[in-house]
Structure formats: C-alpha cells, structure tokens
Amino acid sequence: MFQTVSESTLRGTRLPAKDNPLVQTRVVNSIREVGKEAWNACFEDEVEDFDCLLAIEEAGIEGFAWRYVTVIENGIVVAAMPAFITSYQLETTLEAGPVRRFIRRMRGFLPGILTLKLACLGSPCTETGKPGFCANVPPERQPDLLARLIAGFEKHADDEGCSLRGVKDIPEPCAPAFAPVFAQSGFASIPGLPTACLDVDFHSIESYLSRLSSGTRKDMRRKLKSFDRIRIETRTELADVMPRVLALYNATRNRSEWQFEALTAAYFAGILDRMSGKSFCTLYFAEDKLLAANILVHNESTLIDKFFCMDGEEGRAYDLYYLSWFANLRYCIDHRVARYQSGQAYYENKLRLGSRLTANTMYFKHRNRAVQWLLTLVSPMFGVDEPKGASS
C-alpha cells in the first residue's frame, strides 16, 4: 500500500550532514495508514486535522488521487504533509480575460494542451499547505525534515509519471525557514491567494461595529435589519436539504473565477460527520426557501469559514453574505473563539470589514529543465496579484 524511500534514494538531495539510517520517507495512499494519533501529533492546534483530511479522502472528489507523505525517525512520525495527484490545466489561476478564453478555445482542437500531470504537496481542500512537525522537533531541524519530505515525494512523482510538481499555499510566517529549502530543491515560486482572518478581540457586535469606518458602520446597520426577515438554523446533518445545498454550492462555484476541485454531497456530509463537535452548517431561509448554506469548522481558538454558498439573486436581496458574517462573529463571541478565518477571495469586503490578509506562496517545478525555464518565464501570468492589505 505504501512506498518506502530509503536513505540511498535520498543521497542526491540536500539533507542533514549526519544521515540517520533509522530515518525514512514514506508515501501512502490513505491517511488511515499513517494513523490519527501520529498525524495529529504533527499538526497540533490545526483545525483541519486527521478527521478533516479523511472526510476529504472519502468524499469521492473526481480527478484527484490522495497521498500522505511522512518522515519516520526511530519508528515515530516526525514530519508530515498531505498531497495529491491530478491533471492540472495551467490556466486554472489565470484571471478571466482574452488569454484564458484563447487557451480554452484551443482546448476544443487540442484537448491536452497546457494540461500536465501534477503531483502537489498540500491539499486542494484545506486553507494552507503548511508542513507539520512533531512537537519535539526543534525549529532548526524542520528545514532538513522538509527536504526529506520533498525528496521522497519527488521520487514518488517520478514513479507516477508526474512531470509537474507543486506545493500549495505555504503561509508567509513559514517563508523565512522553508523558502530556501524549496529553492534548493529546484522549485520556483508564485504568489497564491492570501488568507483573510479577523481577530475577535471584542465582546459584542456593537463594539466590533465601532471599529469600522462611519460609512461601513452605517451600511452594516442597515443590512443587519435583514435578520428580521430570515430564519437561521444551525445543523450538523443535512440529509433532508442536501440536494438544495449542493445546487447552491454548484451555482456559487460556477460564478467564481477560479475553479479547481468540485466538491460532492459526500464531502459536505463527511465533514459534518467526521468532524463531529468541530463542524456545523448554518442554513438561511426566507420563509421556507433555503437561500444560503455556510459550512464551518473550528477548534477552541479558530473558526474557519469553509464554504458559503447562496442563491445569487435572492441571497443578495437579503444581504445574506453580510448576515452570515455577523452570525459567525456572534458564534465567536459566544464561544470565546479568538480568530475568525474567512478564507480566500472576495477580499474587498473582508478588508472593509476589518480583516487582515496573510500572504501564501505556491511553488512549482517541472522535471524538464527547458520546460521549467519556460514556465518560470511566464509564471507572472499565472500568479495571483496580491490584494492591498496582505501582510508579510
């Protein structure tokens, strides 16, 4: 079921000066093969933990094969990252415009053009691709262990016939330690979508509103009146409304500029089931019509807004995006959650409402050096312009 990469396989990479024969890198096809305790020990305090990744694995998301990369030292998992293999269309991150339209027209004649088999560290369904390390691993050892993760995964990518390798959304706080490791391994970098979050260091909605600009505060007070016309339900099971939730999700996804993975009903049900006590869904009804659904996951310190999907016309008429924002802040206040993480995209509203942005970086590498040179040359077209307010 899994592939073990020996020390001899890793000799061509930049590794610690003192190799340990009891260290190995392993790539497996199911997170169950790593084990919940071992995985979570590398991702302490992370909301999107073993249960979240298992729900993603079991969701039947088309076009993705899941992998899990670990470094094992003396029988203990000391470093880990999720990963995936997929066929990647290079224009995925291009903004809507003539270049993307031209490439998609060309696909009508040459279906495989600018589509490469990609092996990528990180998950398409989690907020960032930050590597995890066991608590007893000192910070100075983390770059060496990351180098082993990369080397073992690249060997697996070779075996799987993946010409393109990637790393998804390394958050800015990790960059000083980890960017040199990616560079030494031959990866080039491009900006990813930043992550928006709001520190909930206020004790009431009124206190929060007082921090906003006078114009925004006035606008939000007007929008909050829509709460009188909306019925809100908090659920941990969606069987009776799942067809409608999935329809709202697909409609919202189709309105988005960037489309990668397409989630399934099994994903939504799996997150709520596998992450019992750490997830819920908020439903917004006008009379008996479901107009919006919001999937959220959390731990004691962070609430992550995973997906907000709504009826495009009627949802706007009731200001449901803003109602969901305030409903989520009320949850944080009531449960003493210190951080509300509202995810990627739609930054203008999030900045207006007081969020700060943390930059993320994507890395890529093609095993053909000439192709790598070409991709690096054109990579500014495929990167994401960093919105104002992104922190470093």
Side-chain angles (χ1 to χ4, degrees):
M1 292 293 290
F2 59 81
Q3 175 183 0
T4 299
V5 183
S6 67
E7 289 295 298
S8 60
T9 304
L10 300 177
R11 284 175 187 160
T13 65
R14 300 190 180 211
L15 296 174
K18 296 180 180 179
D19 283 340
N20 184 342
L22 296 179
V23 178
Q24 62 178 201
T25 303
R26 178 180 294 175
V27 182
V28 298
N29 298 340
S30 173
I31 197 170
R32 291 182 184 276
E33 297 182 55
V34 180
K36 184 172 182 175
E37 183 177 354
W39 186 272
N40 286 347
C42 291
F43 292 92
E44 289 186 351
D45 301 322
E46 289 291 329
V47 179
E48 295 170 310
D49 58 4
F50 176 95
D51 293 322
C52 179
L53 290 169
L54 181 57
I56 294 167
E57 178 184 317
E58 295 177 335
I61 299 173
E62 186 175 354
F64 291 84
W66 310 112
R67 299 292 187 268
Y68 307 88
V69 191
T70 57
V71 175
I72 301 171
E73 185 174 63
N74 299 320
I76 297 172
V77 175
V78 293
M81 287 187 78
F84 62 92
I85 295 173
T86 190
S87 293
Y88 183 70
Q89 297 179 350
L90 290 181
E91 79 277 12
T92 298
T93 58
L94 280 177
E95 292 187 7
V99 176
R100 190 165 76 172
R101 288 195 297 270
F102 173 75
I103 292 174
R104 291 187 172 175
R105 281 199 300 269
M106 289 294 292
R107 269 190 214 289
F109 304 98
L110 299 169
I113 190 172
L114 293 182
T115 298
L116 300 175
K117 191 172 182 181
L118 167 68
C120 187
L121 287 164
S123 170
C125 302
T126 59
E127 298 295 293
T128 69
K130 177 180 164 184
F133 301 95
C134 192
N136 61 4
V137 172
E140 59 269 21
R141 283 205 65 208
Q142 292 180 4
D144 292 332
L145 293 175
L146 177 59
R148 292 180 183 274
L149 278 171
I150 294 170
F153 187 60
E154 284 214 76
K155 173 60 169 62
H156 184 77
D158 285 340
D159 293 343
E160 293 286 333
C162 299
S163 57
L164 182 66
R165 294 88 193 276
V167 185
K168 179 185 175 289
D169 290 341
I170 298 295
E172 182 62 27
C174 299
F178 298 151
V181 180
F182 293 116
Q184 290 168 6
S185 299
F187 285 81
S189 65
I190 54 175
L193 289 169
T195 300
C197 66
L198 178 68
D199 293 325
V200 185
D201 53 357
F202 42 84
H203 302 293
S204 69
I205 294 298
E206 278 301 315
S207 176
Y208 165 68
L209 287 170
S210 71
R211 301 181 179 189
L212 305 179
S213 69
S214 58
T216 300
R217 185 164 57 248
K218 181 178 179 180
D219 186 31
M220 291 304 109
R221 291 191 190 282
R222 179 182 59 81
K223 294 182 187 303
L224 285 170
K225 294 177 182 178
S226 293
F227 271 120
D228 296 335
R229 302 184 291 158
I230 292 295
R231 175 168 57 88
I232 299 176
E233 292 184 13
T234 299
R235 300 271 203 96
T236 57
E237 201 281 325
L238 298 175
D240 60 320
V241 294
M242 186 63 78
R244 176 62 174 166
V245 169
L246 202 58
L248 291 171
Y249 163 74
N250 287 326
T252 302
R253 180 176 182 271
N254 290 336
R255 293 194 298 268
S256 173
E257 283 188 18
W258 292 287
Q259 298 180 12
F260 195 27
E261 76 283 0
L263 301 180
T264 62
Y267 168 86
F268 294 109
I271 288 290
L272 295 175
D273 180 38
R274 291 286 180 193
M275 300 188 71
S276 177
K278 301 177 292 184
S279 65
F280 61 93
C281 180
T282 307
L283 303 177
Y284 296 83
F285 295 86
E287 297 181 349
D288 291 328
K289 186 174 183 181
L290 178 58
L291 296 183
N294 195 184
I295 296 282
L296 301 112
V297 297
H298 63 90
N299 60 13
E300 292 182 355
S301 62
T302 302
L303 177 69
I304 298 179
D305 188 339
K306 289 298 296 178
F307 293 100
F308 176 74
C309 45
M310 74 174 185
D311 183 295
E313 293 185 9
E314 293 188 70
R316 289 190 186 93
Y318 288 97
D319 297 313
L320 292 187
Y321 173 84
Y322 297 97
L323 296 193
S324 73
W325 182 275
F326 282 93
N328 294 341
L329 290 187
R330 284 175 178 168
Y331 177 92
C332 291
I333 293 169
D334 292 344
H335 294 82
R336 298 184 179 180
V337 174
R339 173 186 168 103
Y340 172 45
Q341 188 168 313
S342 54
Q344 298 172 318
Y346 307 111
Y347 297 110
E348 183 177 357
N349 284 330
K350 294 172 183 179
L351 290 172
R352 181 185 177 212
L353 293 169
S355 295
R356 57 184 171 84
L357 303 181
T358 299
N360 293 308
T361 301
M362 298 184 293
Y363 294 88
F364 67 91
K365 175 183 177 180
H366 197 283
R367 64 184 175 189
N368 182 297
R369 291 185 178 180
V371 176
Q372 174 72 358
W373 175 85
L374 180 61
L375 288 177
T376 303
L377 185 67
V378 302
S379 64
M381 295 174 55
F382 298 93
V384 179
D385 291 334
E386 185 175 283
K388 294 179 181 180
S391 65
S392 58

